[in-house]
């Protein structure tokens, strides 16, 4: 059950230690569960008297539940339901009480002695500094008192020293209680509502409450309330685990457990913890050192307290609960705590000490932010902000405490920074809207405007769900771009989109200048037979061609470096998704290492899971196990990249440069077509032909067929009229018959018949009334050709182009109207928000900002999944399954509230 690279038991693993082995661990957990391991563990805990064996049983239970294994959780729940006498739960209760009472007794005494030791030591230091010598009688007296205290502390430690594994010492009680708390936490991992309720009130299999039920939730809340008196460097880890367990008891949310905690006055206990242990004279007497490690330990404990308070607010709106918390919390303490966290964060980020926060500008901090900057202690400041905002939404007391005048300058600076990096969206949970606040990760600020614009113009707007699905489908590509652009911003020479655009502009301007020189200076002499170019113009065009060719080549290189990774990653995503529909994935039932897998296995994994598959992840690096799969990976990358439209365009651009330089200057004229890519209007002109290209081609083919029919008639019956009098007009025998063979006749019919306004009749000899039969045949031939080809078919082709252009224009207008007047997320119109709320513009920025829905996905992907709140688990599960029901379609809190009031 353990990671082979670690020597610690799985109970002490962090998520990073086991996440890459999740599949193998879950497989073994399921196997052990099916073999009856859960029943054995519960019986050992219920009946075994040996402390060592029971401790090992708890460790085994933790290993079975690691990651919140649902099968193991169901077995534990089933055992509790079938335990009619509730022996298992009561034994856990007995052990918890036994351990905690011992810890309270010993740690309270230890804290008292440590505080006494600290007080005496402080007096000695003060007197020594004042007198300048340690020989003073008062100092000697104090030193004797210090020795007595130290001796008492040693005696207390020795009192519980034993080699007997069955004796419950204070140190062992700390560890054992911490393991039990971890076990209870994992029972509820992933928001298992059944076990959350069972821990509060045991329900038998017949649906009745057990006569010997025990409320773990309220008991643990009371223990946390008493924990303030015994909090120290020795008990801090236990305290963190207790808070972790409480958080898992209520997240999801579990309303019954939330109410139980509030009834047990957990809010008051939390307030005391947030207010305490801020200054050195508060935590140094408790065994902590004045170093970063211990200060971080206290900060982490307080951060968990804040998470607990936030978890109490999960779920549907509960005004009494919000009012109770708003009245119980000391907002000054919360603001001071946010300031402390922000100060530590800013000093570390800017590598400075004793920062003047009041005069610190937010731009100074923002410039130093990196992708992982919000992974550290600043998370607590965000949770404090979210806590205050959530309360202020529904409580006048909280709202009043967030007025600007209620902050001092430093508090406001911290609050303002957190506020500027916090996003807000509305989530639809089972038909109810919930406002969700979250930290906007630094990488989110690197989403480029062209990408935003492209999505807004290209997304399918046929229905509201189509728009939201388009946003969610585009999210992975947008997230990749954000992360990549953020990384570019920190490199010494960043190939940014702006720099690439400048290089392309330079290359195009150079082409324009060369073409202007061709227009102005190139001419023909010697009766138009000789080409003349002045030497300076020829040299300028040649040198310009060299520079232009180099710039277009560098453009290809820069594009490959800047966009290659993003393009191949997006292509791999689509490629794997399509393969999963047709190919069977490799399950690795034999638990083979990557080096033990065959080429066929690695090939299957690559095609069905992609290069980022966990099987290829070896110590954080990609390793394919064999040369063939590695070669295949690189070949697919190349294939994906060369299929990219922009890359193909840049290659053609470069090839035209080479043709212009090495062959004919006339090729430089083709570069002017680059203006099409820069103008949406010109792009619509091209689309007017290409958008309905199939229809256009079929109509053109029909036109060519009709002309061919006329060609055959003319070739066999009217050949004498196919005379071109303009050929050889200066020779003795002017004119030429242009219908001597069918091919020549057809080409001439296409050429002259389509170019002349009157059709083929304008290019053939006029009809003469001498031969009546021929006269009427030629008349019918010319008239029907003119009507069918020139009037009907050509105008149909023009009509297709004009109608398509009109459709594109109407589509652009409808997109503009939709963007200006309809909320992208909820599809409620501007008039509704202008009538019932603070206005449409504020709504799409503050409540339903479509980009913040993407940023929320970034936040979820960056967060440890085991730390998700109930709503985060709900959203991420929906997102991964392609379900957009979490997005508030046709719902908005402001609109609904305004309509209800009216």
């Amino acid at each position: 059950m353990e990671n082979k690279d670690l020597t610690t038991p799985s109970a002490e693993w962090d998520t990073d230690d086991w996440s890459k082995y999740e599949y193998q661990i879950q497989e073994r957990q399921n196997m052990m569960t099916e073999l009856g391991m859960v029943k054995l563990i519960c019986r050992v805990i219920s009946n075994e008297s040996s402390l060592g064996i029971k401790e090992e049983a708890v460790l085994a239970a933790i290993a079975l539940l690691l990651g919140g294994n649902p099968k193991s959780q169901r077995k534990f729940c089933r055992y509790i339901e079938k335990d009619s006498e509730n022996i298992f739960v009561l034994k856990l209760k007995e052990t918890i009480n036994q351990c905690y009472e011992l810890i309270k007794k010993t740690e309270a005494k230890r804290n008292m002695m440590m505080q006494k030791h600290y007080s005496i030591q402080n007096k000695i230091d003060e007197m020594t500094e004042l007198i300048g010598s340690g020989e003073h009688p008062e100092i000697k007296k104090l030193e004797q008192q210090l020795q007595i205290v130290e001796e008492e502390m040693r005696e207390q430690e020795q009192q519980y020293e034993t080699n007997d594994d069955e004796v419950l010492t204070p140190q062992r009680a700390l560890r054992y209680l911490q393991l039990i708390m971890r076990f209870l936490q994992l029972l509820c991992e992933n928001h298992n509502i059944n076990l959350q309720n069972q821990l509060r009130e045991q329900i038998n299999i017949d649906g009745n409450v057990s006569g010997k039920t025990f409320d773990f939730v309220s008991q643990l809340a009371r223990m946390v309330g008493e924990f303030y008196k015994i909090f120290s460097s020795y008990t801090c880890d236990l305290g963190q685990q207790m808070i972790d367990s409480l958080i898992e008891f209520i997240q999801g949310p579990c309303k019954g457990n939330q109410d139980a905690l509030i009834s047990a006055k957990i809010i008051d206990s939390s307030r005391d913890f947030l207010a305490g242990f801020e200054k050195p004279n508060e935590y140094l007497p408790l065994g902590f050192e004045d170093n970063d490690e211990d200060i971080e330990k206290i900060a982490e404990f307080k951060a968990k307290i804040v998470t607990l308070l936030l978890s109490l607010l999960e779920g549907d709106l509960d005004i009494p609960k919000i009012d109770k918390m708003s009245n119980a919390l000391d907002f000054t303490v919360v603001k001071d705590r946010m300031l402390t966290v922000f100060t530590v964060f800013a000093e570390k980020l800017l590598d400075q000490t004793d920062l003047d926060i009041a005069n610190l500008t937010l731009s100074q901090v923002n410039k130093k932010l990196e992708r992982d900057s919000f992974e550290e202690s600043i998370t607590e400041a965000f949770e404090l902000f979210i806590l205050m905002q959530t309360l202020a939404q529904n409580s006048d007391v909280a709202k009043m405490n967030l007025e600007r005048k209620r902050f001092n300058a430093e508090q406001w600076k911290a609050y303002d920074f957190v506020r500027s990096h916090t996003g807000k969206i509305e989530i639809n949970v089972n038909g109810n809207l919930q406002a969700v606040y979250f930290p906007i990760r630094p990488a989110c600020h690197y989403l480029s405007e062209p990408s935003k614009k492209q999505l807004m113009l290209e997304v399918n707007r046929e229905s509201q769900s189509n728009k939201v699905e388009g946003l969610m489908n585009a999210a992975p590509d947008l997230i990749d771009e954000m992360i990549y652009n953020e990384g570019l911003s920190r490199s010494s020479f960043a190939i940014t989109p702006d720099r690439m655009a400048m290089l392309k502009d330079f290359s195009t301007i150079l082409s324009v200048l060369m073409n202007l020189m061709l227009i102005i200076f190139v001419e023909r002499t010697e009766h138009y037979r000789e080409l003349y170019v002045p030497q300076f113009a020829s040299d300028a065009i040649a040198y310009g061609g060299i520079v232009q060719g180099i710039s277009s080549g560098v453009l290809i290189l820069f594009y490959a470096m800047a966009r290659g990774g993003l393009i191949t990653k997006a292509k791999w995503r689509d490629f794997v998704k399509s393969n999963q529909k047709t190919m069977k994935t490799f399950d690795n039932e034999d638990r083979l290492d990557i080096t033990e897998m065959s080429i066929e296995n690695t090939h299957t994994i690559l095609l069905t899971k992609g290069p980022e598959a966990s099987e290829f992840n070896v110590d954080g690096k990609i390793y394919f196990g064999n040369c063939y799969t590695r070669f295949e990976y690189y070949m697919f990358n190349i294939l994906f990249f060369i299929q990219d439209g922009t890359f193909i365009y840049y290659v053609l651009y470069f090839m035209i440069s080479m043709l212009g330089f090495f062959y004919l200057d006339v090729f430089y004229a083709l570069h002017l077509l680059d203006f099409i890519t820069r103008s949406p209007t010109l792009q619509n002109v091209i689309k007017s032909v290409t958008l309905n290209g199939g229809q256009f081609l079929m109509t053109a083919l029909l036109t060519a067929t009709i002309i061919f029919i006329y060609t055959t008639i003319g070739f066999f019956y009217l050949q004498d009229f196919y005379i071109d009098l303009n050929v050889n007009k200066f020779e003795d025998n002017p004119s030429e018959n242009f219908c001597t063979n069918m091919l020549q006749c057809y080409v001439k019919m296409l050429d002259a018949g389509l170019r002349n306004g009157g059709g083929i009749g304008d290019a053939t000899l006029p009809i003469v009334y001498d031969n009546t039969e021929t006269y009427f045949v030629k008349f019918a031939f010319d008239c029907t050709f003119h009507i069918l080809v020139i009037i009907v078919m050509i105008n149909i082709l023009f009509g297709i182009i004009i109608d398509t252009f009109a459709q594109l224009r109407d589509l652009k207008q409808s997109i503009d109207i939709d963007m200006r007047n309809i909320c992208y997320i909820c599809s409620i119109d501007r008039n509704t928000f202008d009538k019932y709320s603070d206005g449409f513009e504020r709504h799409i920025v503050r409540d339903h900002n479509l980009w913040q829905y993407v940023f929320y996905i970034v936040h979820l992907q960056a967060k440890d999944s085991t730390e998700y709140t109930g709503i985060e688990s709900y959203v991420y599960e929906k997102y991964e399954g392609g379900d957009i029901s979490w997005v508030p379609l046709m719902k908005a809190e402001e609109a609904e509230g305004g309509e209800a009031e009216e």
Side-chain angles (χ1 to χ4, degrees):
M1 291 297 293
E2 294 182 4
N3 180 336
K4 63 183 180 182
D5 296 328
L6 296 174
T7 56
T8 53
S10 55
E12 299 176 21
W13 289 359
D14 291 327
T15 304
D16 292 339
D17 296 327
W18 61 267
S19 57
K20 60 184 178 181
Y21 303 101
E22 184 174 4
Y23 174 79
Q24 294 94 322
I25 290 174
Q26 193 172 63
E27 186 182 55
R28 296 189 185 185
Q29 287 173 331
N30 292 340
M31 180 184 69
M32 298 297 287
T33 301
E34 289 169 1
L35 291 174
M37 190 70 178
V38 170
K39 192 173 185 179
L40 175 62
I41 290 170
C42 293
R43 285 183 173 178
V44 168
I45 294 174
S46 302
N47 303 307
E48 181 58 52
S49 59
S50 171
L51 183 61
I53 294 176
K54 286 200 291 185
E55 187 175 327
E56 290 296 327
V58 175
L59 282 169
I62 291 171
L64 280 181
L65 291 165
L66 190 67
N69 184 286
K71 184 173 284 189
S72 300
Q73 286 177 332
R74 284 195 297 272
K75 287 289 186 180
F76 275 108
C77 186
R78 194 68 173 169
Y79 186 91
I80 294 172
E81 290 173 345
K82 289 183 176 181
D83 188 3
S84 57
E85 296 298 318
N86 218 21
I87 297 173
F88 174 69
V89 168
L90 294 178
K91 280 292 183 181
L92 282 177
K93 166 196 170 184
E94 179 186 327
T95 305
I96 289 171
N97 289 339
Q98 183 184 3
C99 290
Y100 193 65
E101 289 302 318
L102 179 59
I103 291 168
K104 274 202 309 183
K105 176 183 175 182
T106 55
E107 295 304 320
K109 187 174 182 181
R110 187 206 298 272
N111 279 7
M112 183 184 66
M113 289 189 291
M114 285 194 299
Q115 289 168 351
K116 188 175 181 181
H117 184 278
Y118 176 80
S119 176
I120 295 171
Q121 185 65 58
N122 263 3
K123 289 179 182 178
I124 293 173
D125 293 341
E126 289 171 3
M127 291 187 69
T128 302
E129 184 177 350
L130 184 65
I131 298 171
S133 171
E135 300 299 324
H136 193 276
E138 284 295 325
I139 295 177
K140 292 287 187 183
K141 184 179 179 181
L142 288 172
E143 287 177 344
Q144 289 175 358
Q145 293 177 8
L146 190 66
Q147 289 176 0
I148 293 171
V149 173
E150 289 174 348
E151 184 63 32
E152 289 177 351
M153 292 172 69
R154 280 195 295 271
E155 287 178 359
Q156 184 184 8
E157 292 292 333
Q158 292 171 359
Q159 178 183 353
Y160 294 102
E161 286 183 1
T162 177
N163 294 323
D164 191 346
D165 291 340
E166 297 304 317
V167 175
L168 186 65
T169 63
Q171 185 176 359
R172 190 165 189 179
L174 277 170
R175 171 176 165 74
Y176 194 18
L177 184 56
Q178 190 171 339
L179 289 176
I180 293 175
M181 293 295 117
R182 175 65 171 155
F183 165 61
L184 296 177
Q185 176 194 358
L186 289 174
L187 281 176
C188 304
E189 190 82 16
N190 298 327
H191 321 304
N192 189 312
I193 188 67
N194 292 326
L195 280 164
Q196 285 174 328
N197 287 323
Q198 284 285 6
L199 290 183
R200 183 185 72 257
E201 187 178 54
Q202 289 79 58
I203 307 295
N204 291 333
I205 198 167
D206 56 6
N208 298 320
V209 179
S210 172
K212 299 179 180 179
T213 188
F214 175 70
D215 186 354
F216 282 106
V217 179
S218 299
Q219 173 66 11
L220 187 51
R222 287 190 289 269
M223 289 166 59
V224 170
E226 299 172 353
F227 194 74
Y228 190 89
K229 299 176 183 178
I230 61 172
F231 182 77
S232 70
S233 61
Y234 297 93
T235 60
C236 186
D237 289 340
L238 172 61
Q240 288 191 23
Q241 182 56 67
M242 291 166 68
I243 301 300
D244 279 335
S245 298
L246 285 179
I247 292 170
E248 206 60 55
F249 289 173
I250 61 176
Q251 280 186 341
C254 178
K255 192 175 186 308
N257 288 354
Q258 288 176 329
D259 294 340
L261 287 187
I262 291 173
S263 298
K265 299 185 177 180
I266 194 66
I267 298 174
D268 296 334
S269 305
S270 300
R271 177 194 59 207
D272 295 339
F273 278 115
L274 288 176
F277 319 116
E278 282 290 310
K279 301 175 182 178
N281 62 0
E282 291 178 318
Y283 60 78
L284 290 178
L286 300 177
F288 292 100
E289 299 290 336
D290 196 10
N291 56 40
D292 291 343
E293 183 179 351
D294 279 9
I295 292 173
E296 181 64 29
K297 202 173 183 180
I298 297 172
E300 187 177 344
F301 177 78
K302 292 192 173 190
K304 291 182 184 296
I305 292 289
V306 177
T307 304
L308 176 63
L309 290 173
L310 272 176
S311 300
L312 286 172
L313 297 176
E314 277 191 37
D316 296 336
L317 187 64
D318 189 336
I319 297 299
K321 180 167 56 178
I322 288 175
D323 288 340
K324 190 169 186 177
M325 187 177 291
S326 299
N327 291 319
L329 278 179
D330 186 337
F331 280 84
T332 302
V333 170
V334 175
K335 295 170 189 174
D336 285 339
R337 180 60 194 164
M338 180 186 287
L339 173 60
T340 301
V341 173
F342 174 70
T343 302
V344 172
F345 171 76
E347 288 179 347
K348 185 175 181 180
L349 190 69
L350 301 175
D351 196 19
Q352 297 181 31
T353 55
D354 301 323
L355 272 177
D356 183 4
I357 298 298
N359 295 318
L360 179 70
T361 62
L362 296 186
S363 60
Q364 288 177 269
V365 183
N366 291 335
K367 287 178 182 177
K368 291 289 185 179
L369 291 177
E370 297 180 0
R371 176 184 172 188
D372 299 328
S373 295
F374 289 173
E375 300 292 330
E376 301 175 358
S377 57
I378 192 65
T379 303
E380 183 186 350
F382 280 104
E383 292 192 336
L384 287 166
F385 175 85
I386 294 169
L387 175 65
M388 290 189 289
Q389 287 296 319
T390 304
L391 294 174
Q393 276 189 311
N394 302 286
S395 168
D396 291 336
V397 173
K399 191 174 183 179
M400 179 185 65
N401 276 282
L402 294 188
E403 294 175 357
R404 174 66 181 88
K405 62 184 179 182
R406 301 273 180 171
F407 291 81
N408 62 38
E410 292 184 331
Q411 288 173 341
W412 181 255
K413 189 71 68 174
Y415 180 86
D416 197 27
F417 171 81
V418 176
R419 182 179 62 176
S420 66
H421 290 278
T422 300
K424 178 197 173 188
I425 60 175
E426 288 182 345
I427 301 295
N428 178 33
V429 183
N430 301 322
N432 297 319
L433 290 182
Q434 292 188 21
V436 175
Y437 295 89
F438 63 96
I440 299 175
R441 307 281 168 165
C444 294
H445 299 289
Y446 290 88
L447 180 59
S448 66
E449 289 301 322
S451 295
K452 290 181 179 180
K453 187 176 180 180
Q454 182 181 7
L455 175 66
M456 296 301 289
L457 292 176
E458 295 181 357
V459 71
N460 183 353
R461 296 176 180 269
E462 291 181 1
S463 69
Q464 200 264 343
S465 59
N466 285 340
K467 286 199 298 185
V468 174
E469 286 173 355
L471 179 66
M472 293 299 109
N473 291 334
D477 293 339
L478 296 175
I479 293 169
D480 288 343
E481 181 189 349
M482 294 177 213
I483 295 171
Y484 182 78
N485 289 343
E486 190 274 334
L488 282 180
S489 69
R490 290 184 279 109
S491 60
S492 55
F493 178 73
I495 307 173
T496 62
D498 290 339
R499 289 180 176 175
M500 287 188 62
M502 289 174 59
L503 182 60
K504 186 182 177 186
D505 291 343
F506 170 77
S507 183
T508 303
I509 291 171
L510 206 56
S511 293
V512 172
L513 293 175
M514 289 190 293
N515 280 285
L516 284 174
M517 296 192 75
L518 288 172
I519 293 171
I520 296 171
F521 297 109
V522 177
E523 59 184 61
R524 283 192 174 274
T525 60
E526 300 296 331
H527 299 288
Y528 309 106
R529 288 184 174 86
E530 296 293 332
L531 186 68
Y532 172 73
V533 184
Q535 187 61 43
F536 76 92
S538 178
D539 292 343
I541 292 172
Y543 288 126
I546 293 173
V547 176
Q548 206 272 342
I550 292 173
S551 65
S552 58
V554 171
L555 191 62
I556 295 174
L557 179 64
F558 279 10
Y559 183 75
M561 294 171 62
R563 306 292 296 181
L566 295 177
I567 292 168
T568 54
K569 195 170 184 179
K571 293 284 188 181
W572 269 114
R573 197 159 33 236
D574 296 337
F575 183 60
V576 167
K577 191 178 294 184
S578 64
N579 286 339
Q580 287 175 344
K581 297 176 182 177
T582 57
M583 296 179 63
K584 185 179 180 181
T585 58
F586 175 64
D587 295 330
N588 195 17
E589 295 177 354
D590 296 327
R591 298 189 292 276
L592 299 175
D593 188 78
I594 186 64
T595 56
E596 301 171 331
M597 293 183 188
S598 66
I599 291 177
E600 182 182 359
N601 292 339
T602 56
H603 165 79
T604 303
I605 293 172
L606 181 65
L607 266 57
T608 57
K609 297 183 180 180
E612 296 182 355
S614 58
E615 289 86 349
F616 295 145
N617 187 335
V618 179
D619 297 328
K621 297 180 180 179
I622 295 179
Y623 178 66
F624 296 105
N626 57 75
C627 294
Y628 175 81
T629 306
R630 188 188 305 115
F631 172 77
E632 190 176 28
Y633 164 70
Y634 288 123
M635 290 305 297
F636 272 118
N637 280 350
I638 294 171
L639 180 64
F640 291 152
F641 184 67
I642 63 177
Q643 291 176 339
D644 178 66
T646 304
F647 173 75
I648 294 172
Y649 174 77
Y650 285 155
V651 169
L652 290 174
Y653 194 89
F654 175 73
M655 290 174 65
I656 292 170
S657 298
M658 294 298 99
L659 288 170
F661 182 76
F662 289 107
Y663 188 51
L664 287 175
D665 292 342
V666 69
F667 283 102
Y668 289 128
L670 296 176
H671 278 152
L672 300 179
L673 294 175
D674 182 59
F675 287 106
I676 295 174
T677 66
R678 300 169 181 273
S679 169
T681 302
L682 291 178
Q683 289 172 20
N684 279 344
V685 171
I686 300 300
K687 285 180 181 178
S688 66
V689 178
T690 60
L691 193 63
N692 289 322
Q695 186 180 2
F696 187 87
L697 286 174
M698 289 298 101
T699 306
L701 182 61
L702 177 59
T703 304
T705 303
I706 293 172
I707 293 174
F708 179 73
I709 293 171
Y710 276 90
T711 300
T712 58
I713 296 172
F715 182 79
F716 288 107
Y717 298 104
L718 300 171
Q719 191 181 42
D720 293 339
F721 289 91
Y722 286 78
I723 303 296
D724 191 344
L725 299 176
N726 292 318
V727 178
N728 303 322
K729 65 189 305 180
F730 299 108
E731 302 294 335
D732 295 334
N733 184 26
S735 77
E736 178 185 80
N737 189 302
F738 54 79
C739 205
T740 57
N741 60 67
M742 187 69 78
L743 177 61
Q744 181 193 20
C745 194
Y746 182 59
V747 172
K748 186 64 178 181
M749 288 282 283
L750 286 171
D751 176 36
L754 294 176
R755 285 193 299 108
N756 291 303
I760 193 61
D762 288 356
T764 57
L765 293 178
I767 56 176
V768 182
Y769 196 68
D770 293 345
N771 188 333
T772 307
E773 181 181 351
T774 305
Y775 177 84
F776 284 107
V777 171
K778 183 69 165 59
F779 173 79
F781 183 85
D782 290 348
C783 287
T784 55
F785 186 95
H786 178 74
I787 293 170
L788 287 176
V789 176
I790 302 302
I791 295 178
V792 177
M793 300 308 299
I794 296 300
N795 282 294
I796 288 175
L797 289 172
F798 289 158
I800 291 172
I801 295 173
I802 293 169
D803 288 347
T804 305
F805 192 80
Q807 289 173 11
L808 291 170
R809 182 191 58 210
D810 294 342
L811 177 62
K812 185 178 184 304
Q813 289 178 349
S814 67
I815 290 174
D816 290 341
I817 292 172
D818 189 79
M819 289 172 61
R820 289 196 302 267
N821 300 298
I822 304 295
C823 173
Y824 189 100
I825 297 299
C826 66
S827 281
I828 299 176
D829 62 273
R830 174 187 289 271
N831 292 335
T832 301
F833 289 109
D834 289 343
K835 182 178 180 180
Y836 295 115
S837 69
D838 295 335
F840 178 77
E841 297 297 335
R842 191 173 181 186
H843 166 76
I844 62 174
V845 171
R846 182 186 60 187
D847 297 323
H848 286 179
N849 186 320
L850 77 155
W851 306 117
Q852 293 205 0
Y853 280 81
V854 178
F855 299 161
Y856 187 62
I857 301 300
V858 176
H859 164 68
L860 294 181
Q861 291 179 345
K863 189 173 182 180
D864 186 346
S865 60
T866 62
E867 301 295 327
Y868 281 169
T869 63
I871 202 164
E872 287 172 342
S873 296
Y874 169 79
V875 171
Y876 195 68
E877 182 180 348
K878 295 283 187 184
Y879 170 73
E880 285 291 292
D883 185 350
I884 61 168
S885 61
W886 61 277
V887 180
L889 310 182
M890 299 307 298
K891 288 177 176 288
E893 188 67 37
E894 285 186 323
E896 290 182 356
E899 289 175 349
E901 288 179 11
E902 186 170 279

